[in-house]
Amino acid sequence: MTDEPIPLKPRKARAACPICGRPPAPEMKPFCSSRCADVDLGRWLNESYRVPVTEETDEDGETAPAPLRE
Ligand SMILES: [Zn+2]
């Protein structure tokens, strides 16, 4: 049986800008530029804003369900 250790890191780890796919800049990793970093940040913010918040209606909510009649 082969008992070779499994490498933890893949050799071919081509990091690319997740926004445009260009090779990232050393200072802006993993992005290629500050612009792409801002784009990614903006996406994150949009996602967080889009998170559906289940707001329970207040106790004295005006939209109370009408009482059911028999
Ligand atoms: Zn980019």
Side-chain angles (χ1 to χ4, degrees):
M1 282 189 178
T2 56
D3 200 33
E4 296 180 4
I6 301 173
L8 296 177
K9 293 181 180 180
R11 290 186 178 180
K12 288 186 178 180
R14 279 193 179 182
C17 176
I19 304 302
C20 65
R22 293 179 181 176
E27 295 179 358
M28 300 301 302
K29 277 188 177 180
F31 307 101
C32 69
S33 63
S34 58
R35 178 176 292 183
C36 284
D38 285 342
V39 172
D40 186 73
L41 181 63
R43 286 182 179 181
W44 265 95
L45 292 177
N46 280 334
E47 291 265 335
S48 61
Y49 276 125
R50 274 195 171 192
V51 171
V53 178
T54 56
E55 289 187 4
E56 298 279 343
T57 51
D58 293 340
E59 291 180 359
D60 58 341
E62 293 180 358
T63 58
L68 296 176
R69 295 179 184 176
E70 286 190 2

